[in-house]
Amino acid sequence: MAEQEVPERHASWLELFFDLIIVAAVAQLAHVLHPSPGHPIGLADAGLFIVLYYAVWSVWTSFTLYANVAGERTRRRSMLIAMFGIAVMAAAIPEAGGDRARAFAIAYVACRVLATRTWSRTGTFIGAWPAAQYGAGLTPWVISIWVPAPGRYWLWGFGVAADIVISYLQSRHPEQKLAALRGEAQRQALRSYRRGLAPQRFVLPAGARLNIPYLGERLGLFVIIVLGETVMQVVVAAGETRWTPAFSVAALAGFGLLVCLWWLTLEYGAAAVPSFGGLQARITLPAHFAMTAGVAATAAGLGTLAEHADGHLATAVRWTICGGMTAYFLTSAVLGAAARAPLRWLLGWSLPAVLVPVLLAVFGDGLAAWWIVVGLLAVAYWQVSYPAVMRRLGRPD
């Protein structure tokens, strides 16, 4: 129902313009994990980064899925208003842990409400990912507008968790949710009829049909946007420091890491995992969030190379870079397991890529910065080259 293929389609100029605001938002998010004098990065900053990133990602996903279903009937005004809303969120990000937290919450709530109202005009229900259409976790965000810190941030985290968990559970049995929506529409029509209104004004919702190849393209474009921010961080770092041999190696390895991540996306799609039997949107969408958040965190860490290339990475920076790559590769491993990948693939392809960043984070205190980046490049390159190695050995990927 929800994931039936329809004729081929590509991103419109409106959607590509809409994506531009994500470039700004991801750039702002990278600064959340940048340490500054007197303010080292801690767990609270990492948690705030995840919550803020999800807020931006969820608004983008809501309107991307809407455009996927609406097609040529996509409402330009709604998309542009949502774009402005994300711009407000992005502008508030640097102070989202302080004076602009309320502004960020209000903009996020407004964008999600707009998404719900815009979706209602399609007369469809997207069972593949209901969070795009209904704000299951929106209530804590609304309450947080009047709650001071730190309670406000706990409410944000609870709202994110509720959004993901409830949407995932509903997407497992979308026919039940659709039946409930149709029943409610019929009851509304009956009540209107009794009040003398025309019941024809009420349309029973139908199951939305996702264009799967097009959705893959859109998710892949989002990955490219996040990778683009990482490229910018490396280039800016190179422009702000002396090109010592240590920094040159670190910068070159950082660029190679980005090439490998791009190649994984090019080869295997937005989920960066070989297709072992088709994964549903309810699995790939939260995985896409986790993997792109990992890349964004890595971008934030790479942006500090100029300050640490000739010495040891600060603990917070090391954990930011390695933690981001751990999230990326761990999510890829979970996707492979969900797709029932062969045990050989899990042990040979996924396990090394997950373990090495963890080991570098835990035991890398005495390593020079460039060694950390080279180690991450090695595991990323292994992910890229593993299928070719298996083919040379006469084994399937």
Short mmCIF file of all heavy atoms in Angstrom, two decimals, residues 254-318:
data_model
loop_
_atom_site.label_atom_id
_atom_site.label_comp_id
_atom_site.label_asym_id
_atom_site.label_seq_id
_atom_site.Cartn_x
_atom_site.Cartn_y
_atom_site.Cartn_z
N GLY A 254 41.30 12.95 5.96
CA GLY A 254 39.93 13.40 6.15
C GLY A 254 39.17 13.48 4.83
O GLY A 254 38.01 13.07 4.73
N PHE A 255 39.86 13.99 3.80
CA PHE A 255 39.21 14.05 2.48
C PHE A 255 38.97 12.64 1.95
O PHE A 255 37.92 12.37 1.35
CB PHE A 255 40.08 14.84 1.52
CG PHE A 255 39.44 15.06 0.18
CD1 PHE A 255 38.45 16.02 0.02
CD2 PHE A 255 39.81 14.30 -0.92
CE1 PHE A 255 37.85 16.20 -1.21
CE2 PHE A 255 39.21 14.48 -2.15
CZ PHE A 255 38.22 15.45 -2.30
N GLY A 256 39.94 11.75 2.13
CA GLY A 256 39.74 10.37 1.70
C GLY A 256 38.58 9.71 2.41
O GLY A 256 37.83 8.92 1.82
N LEU A 257 38.40 10.02 3.70
CA LEU A 257 37.26 9.49 4.45
C LEU A 257 35.95 9.94 3.83
O LEU A 257 35.00 9.15 3.67
CB LEU A 257 37.36 9.96 5.90
CG LEU A 257 36.21 9.58 6.84
CD1 LEU A 257 36.08 8.07 6.98
CD2 LEU A 257 36.41 10.23 8.20
N LEU A 258 35.88 11.20 3.43
CA LEU A 258 34.67 11.71 2.79
C LEU A 258 34.41 11.02 1.45
O LEU A 258 33.26 10.72 1.12
CB LEU A 258 34.79 13.22 2.57
CG LEU A 258 35.03 14.06 3.83
CD1 LEU A 258 35.10 15.52 3.47
CD2 LEU A 258 33.93 13.82 4.84
N VAL A 259 35.46 10.78 0.69
CA VAL A 259 35.31 10.09 -0.58
C VAL A 259 34.74 8.69 -0.36
O VAL A 259 33.84 8.23 -1.10
CB VAL A 259 36.65 10.01 -1.33
CG1 VAL A 259 36.53 9.11 -2.57
CG2 VAL A 259 37.12 11.41 -1.75
N CYS A 260 35.22 8.01 0.67
CA CYS A 260 34.71 6.66 0.96
C CYS A 260 33.24 6.69 1.35
O CYS A 260 32.45 5.85 0.92
CB CYS A 260 35.54 6.01 2.07
SG CYS A 260 37.22 5.56 1.58
N LEU A 261 32.86 7.66 2.17
CA LEU A 261 31.45 7.78 2.57
C LEU A 261 30.58 8.11 1.37
O LEU A 261 29.46 7.59 1.24
CB LEU A 261 31.30 8.84 3.66
CG LEU A 261 31.99 8.54 4.99
CD1 LEU A 261 31.81 9.71 5.96
CD2 LEU A 261 31.47 7.25 5.61
N TRP A 262 31.08 8.97 0.49
CA TRP A 262 30.35 9.27 -0.74
C TRP A 262 30.22 8.01 -1.59
O TRP A 262 29.15 7.74 -2.15
CB TRP A 262 31.08 10.36 -1.51
CG TRP A 262 30.59 10.50 -2.92
CD1 TRP A 262 29.47 11.15 -3.34
CD2 TRP A 262 31.21 9.95 -4.10
NE1 TRP A 262 29.34 11.04 -4.70
CE2 TRP A 262 30.40 10.31 -5.20
CE3 TRP A 262 32.36 9.20 -4.31
CZ2 TRP A 262 30.72 9.95 -6.50
CZ3 TRP A 262 32.68 8.84 -5.61
CH2 TRP A 262 31.86 9.22 -6.68
N TRP A 263 31.29 7.22 -1.69
CA TRP A 263 31.26 6.02 -2.50
C TRP A 263 30.26 5.02 -1.95
O TRP A 263 29.53 4.37 -2.71
CB TRP A 263 32.64 5.39 -2.59
CG TRP A 263 32.66 4.18 -3.46
CD1 TRP A 263 32.57 2.87 -3.08
CD2 TRP A 263 32.71 4.17 -4.88
NE1 TRP A 263 32.58 2.05 -4.16
CE2 TRP A 263 32.66 2.81 -5.30
CE3 TRP A 263 32.80 5.16 -5.85
CZ2 TRP A 263 32.70 2.44 -6.63
CZ3 TRP A 263 32.85 4.78 -7.19
CH2 TRP A 263 32.80 3.45 -7.55
N LEU A 264 30.20 4.88 -0.64
CA LEU A 264 29.23 3.96 -0.03
C LEU A 264 27.81 4.39 -0.36
O LEU A 264 26.94 3.55 -0.63
CB LEU A 264 29.42 3.91 1.49
CG LEU A 264 30.69 3.19 1.97
CD1 LEU A 264 30.90 3.43 3.46
CD2 LEU A 264 30.61 1.70 1.69
N THR A 265 27.57 5.70 -0.36
CA THR A 265 26.25 6.20 -0.72
C THR A 265 25.96 5.96 -2.20
O THR A 265 24.86 5.56 -2.58
CB THR A 265 26.16 7.71 -0.42
OG1 THR A 265 26.44 7.92 0.96
CG2 THR A 265 24.77 8.24 -0.73
N LEU A 266 26.96 6.20 -3.05
CA LEU A 266 26.79 6.00 -4.49
C LEU A 266 26.54 4.53 -4.80
O LEU A 266 25.69 4.18 -5.62
CB LEU A 266 28.04 6.49 -5.22
CG LEU A 266 28.12 6.20 -6.72
CD1 LEU A 266 27.10 7.04 -7.46
CD2 LEU A 266 29.52 6.49 -7.26
N GLU A 267 27.28 3.65 -4.13
CA GLU A 267 27.22 2.23 -4.45
C GLU A 267 25.97 1.56 -3.89
O GLU A 267 25.35 0.72 -4.55
CB GLU A 267 28.47 1.54 -3.88
CG GLU A 267 28.60 0.06 -4.22
CD GLU A 267 29.00 -0.17 -5.67
OE1 GLU A 267 29.36 0.82 -6.36
OE2 GLU A 267 28.95 -1.32 -6.12
N TYR A 268 25.61 1.92 -2.68
CA TYR A 268 24.54 1.19 -2.00
C TYR A 268 23.31 2.02 -1.68
O TYR A 268 22.34 1.51 -1.12
CB TYR A 268 25.08 0.59 -0.69
CG TYR A 268 26.24 -0.34 -0.90
CD1 TYR A 268 27.42 -0.17 -0.20
CD2 TYR A 268 26.16 -1.38 -1.82
CE1 TYR A 268 28.50 -1.02 -0.39
CE2 TYR A 268 27.24 -2.23 -2.02
CZ TYR A 268 28.39 -2.05 -1.31
OH TYR A 268 29.45 -2.90 -1.50
N GLY A 269 23.33 3.33 -1.99
CA GLY A 269 22.17 4.15 -1.72
C GLY A 269 22.27 4.86 -0.38
O GLY A 269 23.27 4.78 0.33
N ALA A 270 21.18 5.54 -0.02
CA ALA A 270 21.18 6.39 1.16
C ALA A 270 21.45 5.63 2.45
O ALA A 270 21.92 6.19 3.43
CB ALA A 270 19.84 7.12 1.27
N ALA A 271 21.16 4.31 2.47
CA ALA A 271 21.40 3.53 3.68
C ALA A 271 22.82 3.01 3.76
O ALA A 271 23.24 2.50 4.79
CB ALA A 271 20.43 2.34 3.74
N ALA A 272 23.60 3.14 2.69
CA ALA A 272 25.01 2.72 2.66
C ALA A 272 25.19 1.29 3.11
O ALA A 272 26.12 0.96 3.82
CB ALA A 272 25.86 3.66 3.52
N VAL A 273 24.31 0.42 2.68
CA VAL A 273 24.41 -1.00 3.03
C VAL A 273 23.98 -1.81 1.82
O VAL A 273 23.01 -1.46 1.14
CB VAL A 273 23.54 -1.34 4.26
CG1 VAL A 273 22.09 -1.05 4.00
CG2 VAL A 273 23.73 -2.79 4.68
N PRO A 274 24.68 -2.90 1.47
CA PRO A 274 24.26 -3.72 0.34
C PRO A 274 22.82 -4.21 0.51
O PRO A 274 22.38 -4.48 1.63
CB PRO A 274 25.25 -4.89 0.37
CG PRO A 274 26.45 -4.35 1.04
CD PRO A 274 25.93 -3.38 2.07
N SER A 275 22.10 -4.31 -0.59
CA SER A 275 20.69 -4.72 -0.52
C SER A 275 20.59 -6.23 -0.41
O SER A 275 20.80 -6.95 -1.37
CB SER A 275 19.95 -4.24 -1.78
OG SER A 275 18.61 -4.68 -1.75
N PHE A 276 20.27 -6.67 0.80
CA PHE A 276 20.10 -8.09 1.03
C PHE A 276 18.63 -8.46 1.10
O PHE A 276 18.24 -9.38 1.79
CB PHE A 276 20.80 -8.51 2.33
CG PHE A 276 22.29 -8.47 2.23
CD1 PHE A 276 22.99 -7.52 2.93
CD2 PHE A 276 22.97 -9.35 1.43
CE1 PHE A 276 24.38 -7.47 2.86
CE2 PHE A 276 24.36 -9.31 1.33
CZ PHE A 276 25.05 -8.36 2.04
N GLY A 277 17.80 -7.74 0.42
CA GLY A 277 16.40 -8.09 0.40
C GLY A 277 15.47 -6.96 0.74
O GLY A 277 14.51 -7.13 1.45
N GLY A 278 15.71 -5.75 0.37
CA GLY A 278 14.76 -4.66 0.47
C GLY A 278 14.30 -4.34 1.88
O GLY A 278 13.71 -5.16 2.54
N LEU A 279 14.59 -3.14 2.34
CA LEU A 279 14.17 -2.71 3.66
C LEU A 279 13.06 -1.69 3.53
O LEU A 279 13.06 -0.87 2.62
CB LEU A 279 15.35 -2.10 4.41
CG LEU A 279 16.49 -3.07 4.73
CD1 LEU A 279 17.70 -2.29 5.25
CD2 LEU A 279 16.06 -4.10 5.75
N GLN A 280 12.10 -1.73 4.45
CA GLN A 280 10.97 -0.84 4.40
C GLN A 280 11.34 0.55 4.91
O GLN A 280 12.31 0.73 5.64
CB GLN A 280 9.82 -1.42 5.21
CG GLN A 280 9.30 -2.74 4.66
CD GLN A 280 8.19 -3.31 5.52
OE1 GLN A 280 8.06 -2.97 6.69
NE2 GLN A 280 7.38 -4.18 4.94
N ALA A 281 10.49 1.53 4.55
CA ALA A 281 10.76 2.92 4.93
C ALA A 281 10.81 3.08 6.44
O ALA A 281 11.57 3.91 6.95
CB ALA A 281 9.70 3.84 4.33
N ARG A 282 10.03 2.32 7.18
CA ARG A 282 10.01 2.46 8.64
C ARG A 282 11.36 2.07 9.25
O ARG A 282 11.63 2.40 10.41
CB ARG A 282 8.90 1.62 9.25
CG ARG A 282 9.05 0.12 9.06
CD ARG A 282 7.80 -0.60 9.58
NE ARG A 282 7.84 -2.02 9.34
CZ ARG A 282 8.38 -2.91 10.17
NH1 ARG A 282 8.89 -2.49 11.31
NH2 ARG A 282 8.37 -4.19 9.88
N ILE A 283 12.19 1.36 8.51
CA ILE A 283 13.53 1.01 8.98
C ILE A 283 14.57 1.95 8.38
O ILE A 283 15.46 2.44 9.08
CB ILE A 283 13.86 -0.45 8.62
CG1 ILE A 283 12.90 -1.40 9.36
CG2 ILE A 283 15.31 -0.79 8.97
CD1 ILE A 283 13.10 -2.85 9.00
N THR A 284 14.46 2.20 7.09
CA THR A 284 15.48 3.02 6.43
C THR A 284 15.43 4.49 6.84
O THR A 284 16.47 5.15 6.89
CB THR A 284 15.35 2.92 4.90
OG1 THR A 284 14.03 3.29 4.51
CG2 THR A 284 15.65 1.52 4.42
N LEU A 285 14.24 5.02 7.16
CA LEU A 285 14.16 6.43 7.53
C LEU A 285 14.85 6.73 8.86
O LEU A 285 15.69 7.64 8.93
CB LEU A 285 12.71 6.90 7.53
CG LEU A 285 12.12 7.14 6.14
CD1 LEU A 285 10.63 7.43 6.21
CD2 LEU A 285 12.85 8.29 5.45
N PRO A 286 14.54 6.02 9.95
CA PRO A 286 15.31 6.29 11.18
C PRO A 286 16.79 5.97 11.02
O PRO A 286 17.64 6.62 11.64
CB PRO A 286 14.64 5.41 12.24
CG PRO A 286 13.84 4.40 11.48
CD PRO A 286 13.46 5.05 10.20
N ALA A 287 17.11 4.96 10.19
CA ALA A 287 18.51 4.66 9.94
C ALA A 287 19.18 5.81 9.20
O ALA A 287 20.34 6.17 9.47
CB ALA A 287 18.63 3.37 9.13
N HIS A 288 18.48 6.41 8.27
CA HIS A 288 19.00 7.57 7.55
C HIS A 288 19.29 8.71 8.51
O HIS A 288 20.34 9.38 8.41
CB HIS A 288 17.99 8.00 6.49
CG HIS A 288 18.42 9.17 5.66
ND1 HIS A 288 18.05 10.46 5.97
CD2 HIS A 288 19.18 9.26 4.54
CE1 HIS A 288 18.56 11.29 5.07
NE2 HIS A 288 19.25 10.58 4.20
N PHE A 289 18.39 8.92 9.47
CA PHE A 289 18.62 9.95 10.48
C PHE A 289 19.89 9.67 11.27
O PHE A 289 20.74 10.54 11.46
CB PHE A 289 17.41 10.03 11.42
CG PHE A 289 17.73 10.61 12.76
CD1 PHE A 289 18.07 11.94 12.90
CD2 PHE A 289 17.68 9.81 13.90
CE1 PHE A 289 18.37 12.47 14.15
CE2 PHE A 289 17.97 10.33 15.15
CZ PHE A 289 18.33 11.66 15.27
N ALA A 290 20.05 8.42 11.74
CA ALA A 290 21.20 8.07 12.56
C ALA A 290 22.51 8.19 11.78
O ALA A 290 23.51 8.72 12.29
CB ALA A 290 21.04 6.65 13.11
N MET A 291 22.51 7.74 10.53
CA MET A 291 23.74 7.75 9.74
C MET A 291 24.15 9.16 9.35
O MET A 291 25.34 9.52 9.44
CB MET A 291 23.58 6.86 8.51
CG MET A 291 23.32 5.40 8.84
SD MET A 291 23.13 4.34 7.39
CE MET A 291 24.84 4.04 7.00
N THR A 292 23.21 9.98 8.94
CA THR A 292 23.57 11.35 8.57
C THR A 292 23.94 12.17 9.79
O THR A 292 24.80 13.05 9.71
CB THR A 292 22.42 12.03 7.81
OG1 THR A 292 21.20 11.95 8.57
CG2 THR A 292 22.21 11.38 6.45
N ALA A 293 23.33 11.88 10.94
CA ALA A 293 23.74 12.55 12.18
C ALA A 293 25.18 12.18 12.51
O ALA A 293 25.96 13.03 12.97
CB ALA A 293 22.82 12.17 13.33
N GLY A 294 25.55 10.92 12.27
CA GLY A 294 26.92 10.50 12.50
C GLY A 294 27.90 11.24 11.60
O GLY A 294 28.98 11.66 12.04
N VAL A 295 27.53 11.41 10.33
CA VAL A 295 28.41 12.14 9.41
C VAL A 295 28.52 13.61 9.82
O VAL A 295 29.61 14.20 9.78
CB VAL A 295 27.88 12.03 7.97
CG1 VAL A 295 28.72 12.89 7.02
CG2 VAL A 295 27.89 10.58 7.50
N ALA A 296 27.39 14.20 10.25
CA ALA A 296 27.42 15.60 10.69
C ALA A 296 28.31 15.77 11.92
O ALA A 296 29.03 16.77 12.04
CB ALA A 296 26.00 16.08 10.98
N ALA A 297 28.26 14.81 12.84
CA ALA A 297 29.12 14.87 14.02
C ALA A 297 30.59 14.77 13.62
O ALA A 297 31.45 15.48 14.15
CB ALA A 297 28.76 13.76 15.00
N THR A 298 30.88 13.88 12.67
CA THR A 298 32.25 13.76 12.17
C THR A 298 32.71 15.06 11.53
O THR A 298 33.87 15.47 11.70
CB THR A 298 32.34 12.61 11.16
OG1 THR A 298 31.91 11.39 11.78
CG2 THR A 298 33.76 12.43 10.64
N ALA A 299 31.81 15.72 10.81
CA ALA A 299 32.15 17.01 10.20
C ALA A 299 32.55 18.02 11.25
O ALA A 299 33.51 18.78 11.09
CB ALA A 299 30.96 17.53 9.38
N ALA A 300 31.80 18.03 12.36
CA ALA A 300 32.13 18.97 13.43
C ALA A 300 33.51 18.69 13.99
O ALA A 300 34.28 19.62 14.28
CB ALA A 300 31.08 18.86 14.55
N GLY A 301 33.85 17.41 14.15
CA GLY A 301 35.17 17.07 14.66
C GLY A 301 36.28 17.40 13.69
O GLY A 301 37.34 17.93 14.09
N LEU A 302 36.08 17.12 12.41
CA LEU A 302 37.11 17.42 11.41
C LEU A 302 37.37 18.92 11.30
O LEU A 302 38.45 19.34 10.90
CB LEU A 302 36.70 16.84 10.05
CG LEU A 302 36.71 15.32 9.93
CD1 LEU A 302 36.19 14.89 8.56
CD2 LEU A 302 38.11 14.75 10.16
N GLY A 303 36.36 19.71 11.64
CA GLY A 303 36.53 21.16 11.57
C GLY A 303 37.52 21.69 12.57
O GLY A 303 37.96 22.85 12.46
N THR A 304 37.91 20.88 13.57
CA THR A 304 38.87 21.33 14.58
C THR A 304 40.29 20.81 14.30
O THR A 304 41.17 20.99 15.14
CB THR A 304 38.43 20.84 15.98
OG1 THR A 304 38.47 19.41 16.01
CG2 THR A 304 37.03 21.32 16.30
N LEU A 305 40.50 20.18 13.15
CA LEU A 305 41.82 19.63 12.85
C LEU A 305 42.92 20.69 12.87
O LEU A 305 44.05 20.44 13.26
CB LEU A 305 41.80 18.94 11.48
CG LEU A 305 41.20 17.54 11.42
CD1 LEU A 305 41.23 17.03 9.99
CD2 LEU A 305 41.96 16.59 12.33
N ALA A 306 42.56 21.90 12.44
CA ALA A 306 43.56 22.96 12.39
C ALA A 306 44.15 23.25 13.77
O ALA A 306 45.30 23.66 13.90
CB ALA A 306 42.94 24.24 11.82
N GLU A 307 43.37 23.01 14.82
CA GLU A 307 43.82 23.32 16.17
C GLU A 307 44.60 22.17 16.80
O GLU A 307 45.30 22.36 17.79
CB GLU A 307 42.61 23.64 17.05
CG GLU A 307 41.73 24.77 16.51
CD GLU A 307 40.42 24.86 17.26
OE1 GLU A 307 40.33 24.31 18.37
OE2 GLU A 307 39.47 25.47 16.73
N HIS A 308 44.47 20.95 16.23
CA HIS A 308 45.03 19.79 16.90
C HIS A 308 45.94 18.93 16.01
O HIS A 308 46.45 17.92 16.48
CB HIS A 308 43.90 18.89 17.42
CG HIS A 308 42.95 19.60 18.32
ND1 HIS A 308 43.20 19.83 19.64
CD2 HIS A 308 41.72 20.13 18.08
CE1 HIS A 308 42.17 20.47 20.20
NE2 HIS A 308 41.27 20.66 19.27
N ALA A 309 46.12 19.29 14.76
CA ALA A 309 46.80 18.40 13.82
C ALA A 309 48.22 18.04 14.27
O ALA A 309 48.69 16.93 14.04
CB ALA A 309 46.83 19.02 12.43
N ASP A 310 48.93 18.98 14.89
CA ASP A 310 50.31 18.74 15.27
C ASP A 310 50.46 18.13 16.67
O ASP A 310 51.57 17.93 17.16
CB ASP A 310 51.12 20.03 15.20
CG ASP A 310 51.29 20.49 13.77
OD1 ASP A 310 51.45 19.62 12.89
OD2 ASP A 310 51.26 21.70 13.52
N GLY A 311 49.32 17.85 17.31
CA GLY A 311 49.38 17.27 18.65
C GLY A 311 48.30 16.21 18.80
O GLY A 311 47.91 15.54 17.85
N HIS A 312 47.84 16.06 20.03
CA HIS A 312 46.80 15.09 20.32
C HIS A 312 45.43 15.77 20.25
O HIS A 312 45.26 16.92 20.64
CB HIS A 312 46.99 14.48 21.71
CG HIS A 312 48.32 13.83 21.89
ND1 HIS A 312 48.79 12.85 21.04
CD2 HIS A 312 49.30 14.01 22.81
CE1 HIS A 312 49.98 12.45 21.43
NE2 HIS A 312 50.32 13.15 22.51
N LEU A 313 44.45 15.03 19.76
CA LEU A 313 43.09 15.55 19.76
C LEU A 313 42.57 15.65 21.19
O LEU A 313 42.83 14.77 22.02
CB LEU A 313 42.17 14.63 18.96
CG LEU A 313 42.25 14.67 17.44
CD1 LEU A 313 41.34 13.61 16.84
CD2 LEU A 313 41.86 16.04 16.91
N ALA A 314 41.87 16.73 21.47
CA ALA A 314 41.20 16.82 22.76
C ALA A 314 40.23 15.65 22.90
O ALA A 314 39.68 15.17 21.89
CB ALA A 314 40.46 18.16 22.88
N THR A 315 40.01 15.22 24.12
CA THR A 315 39.16 14.04 24.34
C THR A 315 37.78 14.23 23.71
O THR A 315 37.26 13.33 23.05
CB THR A 315 39.02 13.78 25.85
OG1 THR A 315 40.31 13.55 26.41
CG2 THR A 315 38.14 12.56 26.10
N ALA A 316 37.19 15.40 23.90
CA ALA A 316 35.85 15.65 23.36
C ALA A 316 35.84 15.58 21.84
O ALA A 316 34.91 15.04 21.23
CB ALA A 316 35.33 17.01 23.83
N VAL A 317 36.90 16.14 21.21
CA VAL A 317 36.98 16.12 19.75
C VAL A 317 37.16 14.70 19.24
O VAL A 317 36.54 14.28 18.25
CB VAL A 317 38.13 17.03 19.26
CG1 VAL A 317 38.27 16.94 17.75
CG2 VAL A 317 37.88 18.47 19.68
N ARG A 318 38.03 13.94 19.91
CA ARG A 318 38.25 12.54 19.49
C ARG A 318 36.96 11.75 19.58
O ARG A 318 36.63 10.96 18.67
CB ARG A 318 39.33 11.91 20.38
CG ARG A 318 39.75 10.52 19.90
CD ARG A 318 40.84 9.93 20.75
NE ARG A 318 40.38 9.48 22.05
CZ ARG A 318 40.65 10.08 23.21
NH1 ARG A 318 41.39 11.18 23.23
NH2 ARG A 318 40.19 9.58 24.35
#
